[in-house]
Amino acid sequence: VAAGAAGAGVLTHLLGQSAAEVAEKVTAYRRAWRAAGCPGDGHGTLMLHTFVGDSTEAVKELVRQPMKDYLRTSISLIKNFAAAFPTFKRKDEALDFAALTPEQHEALLDYSFERYFETSGLFGDLDTCAVMVDRLKGIGIDEIACLIDFGVPAETTLEHLGHLDVLRRLT
């Protein structure tokens, strides 16, 4: 709302929030933008970890360990995923991450990766990624900032940028 009222663009992410929550915030942003008398509708950019390849399954296996390593160093980012993981559902108390066994920690990372891959990144083949781009357009996102430096080897990332360019042109 403050960005809209100030006539500024907004940069956001899906870490710790759903696309539905972002949609609500984009709506509030645009409402504030118009109320401030700014021309047009403003500009909303969403940051997404991104890797586009020939096959969604191949991409999933390629990004699995780098994303898990990323999530491992950012436990606060997976707290919201933990609440949805059946093993860790507790209505009356907060999850104590420090008390997790190594097996529980790894299970939570596996679960978090699966959720993140499916709902919070731009990962997969052209068709899968185009669906995500269309979904984000539908909630008012104007631009996607592709985060490509999350641990996949640089040469592999560079080799796959052509796929991302094709996606950009298609969408």
Side-chain angles (χ1 to χ4, degrees):
V1 170
V10 70
L11 175 66
T12 191
H13 53 79
L14 289 177
L15 299 171
Q17 62 182 343
S18 68
E21 290 168 314
V22 170
E24 291 173 13
K25 292 172 184 176
V26 168
T27 298
Y29 162 75
R30 296 200 193 281
R31 191 176 314 120
W33 177 277
R34 287 188 293 279
C38 298
D41 288 323
H43 191 84
T45 302
L46 182 70
M47 297 180 289
L48 291 179
H49 286 92
T50 301
F51 197 95
V52 184
D54 292 320
S55 151
T56 297
E57 283 308 311
V59 167
K60 190 174 199 176
E61 290 316 306
L62 185 66
V63 303
R64 178 184 303 279
Q65 195 59 51
M67 279 306 303
K68 282 178 59 178
D69 292 344
Y70 174 83
L71 292 169
R72 186 183 325 277
T73 63
S74 307
I75 285 296
S76 63
L77 299 177
I78 65 172
K79 286 182 179 178
N80 288 343
F81 292 129
F85 190 52
T87 302
F88 301 117
K89 281 191 177 180
R90 298 178 183 172
K91 294 181 182 179
D92 57 343
E93 60 185 272
L95 177 62
D96 179 6
F97 282 88
L100 294 178
T101 66
E103 293 80 15
Q104 289 173 323
H105 192 89
E106 198 59 32
L108 179 56
L109 284 170
D110 287 336
Y111 180 79
S112 297
F113 167 75
E114 293 293 333
R115 289 283 305 269
Y116 195 89
F117 187 89
E118 297 298 328
T119 66
S120 302
L122 189 59
F123 296 122
D125 62 21
L126 288 172
D127 291 337
T128 300
C129 291
V131 168
M132 179 64 146
V133 171
D134 287 343
R135 187 173 124 217
L136 296 172
K137 285 180 184 178
I139 67 167
I141 295 300
D142 300 302
E143 179 179 32
I144 297 172
C146 297
L147 303 174
I148 60 171
D149 61 344
F150 56 91
V152 174
E155 61 276 1
T156 304
T157 298
L158 292 172
E159 288 169 3
H160 285 78
L161 285 181
H163 295 289
L164 181 56
D165 186 48
V166 171
L167 177 66
R168 179 190 60 82
R169 285 185 272 124
L170 287 173
T171 59

